[in-house]
Amino acid sequence: MSRILVVEDEQRIASFVAKGLRAAGFVVDVTTSGNEAVEWVLQGGIDLVVLDVGLPDIDGFEVLDRLRGQGVATPVIMLTARSSVADRVAGLEGGADDYMPKPFSFEELLARIRLRLRVSGEVHQLMRLEHRGLVLDLASRKAQVDGRWVDLSAREFALAETFLRNPGQVLSREQLLAAVWGLDFDPGSNVVDVYVSYLRSRLGKERFETVRGMGYRLA
């Protein structure tokens, strides 16, 4: 169930939007503070933000700037009584995913929320590789093993990514050299064996099988 944060200081509008979203099956939190909204989103667990531009402490543009500056990619739909093209452009260029001028139709807002959540979910899936408890997050370049985060070097991550894109397939040392180190790397080097050993120690020895005379395989 998706969780939506509504950041709106007009109580009537906030109540109207929150009530409609809850009726549509969403978990909804509401705040009137831009600073509180930033803290809330940074803590994680928010799937989408409905963000008003006019807030009593910092405006929606500042909230958006702080979130994007922290690398937060959570979808944001901005609401505002300002309908000028300049404001819409400022919001979109600042990293907003959508922009709706007031007054607005709740049905349209709901449709846009569902669209953004669907697109966000699809992108999230594209940015993750998973195989039997091993997860690679391609955005953060981090690995997770059975729920535990593991730090990998750039080469280790690239090698692990190659294996996860080809689970169960035997990959020769030459294929792995070409994919991770480049075609012009010395084919007589034992660097592949060394780095497979690194992966085994960090991600689990049983995951990377040696296929004698052929190469390696992600079990």
Side-chain angles (χ1 to χ4, degrees), residues 123-174:
V123 170
H124 180 71
Q125 289 299 317
L126 289 172
M127 296 302 290
R128 287 169 66 93
L129 297 175
E130 301 184 38
H131 183 72
R132 296 185 176 179
L134 175 59
V135 179
L136 291 186
D137 188 314
L138 303 183
S140 66
R141 310 299 288 179
K142 291 184 178 180
Q144 192 179 61
V145 183
D146 298 325
R148 174 177 55 89
W149 289 105
V150 178
D151 289 326
L152 299 178
S153 71
R155 294 289 193 192
E156 290 167 349
F157 191 94
L159 184 59
E161 181 180 348
T162 303
F163 278 117
L164 262 78
R165 290 190 183 279
N166 302 277
Q169 179 178 332
V170 178
L171 300 174
S172 69
R173 288 173 176 79
E174 291 74 17

Side-chain angles (χ1 to χ4, degrees), residues 53-102:
V53 170
L55 298 170
D57 47 4
I58 59 174
D59 67 22
F61 295 122
E62 176 66 19
V63 172
L64 186 63
D65 184 63
R66 291 188 189 181
L67 292 177
R68 297 303 187 237
Q70 290 286 330
V72 175
T74 303
V76 174
I77 297 178
M78 299 193 77
L79 304 178
T80 179
R82 309 174 189 176
S83 58
S84 73
V85 172
D87 284 327
R88 292 200 299 273
V89 169
L92 294 172
E93 289 188 343
D97 297 87
D98 211 338
Y99 196 104
M100 292 191 66
K102 299 175 183 177

Side-chain angles (χ1 to χ4, degrees), residues 183-210:
L183 291 170
D184 57 349
F185 204 86
D186 179 8
S189 170
N190 71 339
V191 68
V192 169
D193 307 281
V194 171
Y195 273 79
V196 168
S197 176
Y198 292 161
L199 289 186
R200 283 172 168 164
S201 66
R202 288 165 171 73
L203 305 180
K205 182 178 180 180
E206 73 286 351
R207 296 182 186 277
F208 303 94
E209 299 178 342
T210 299

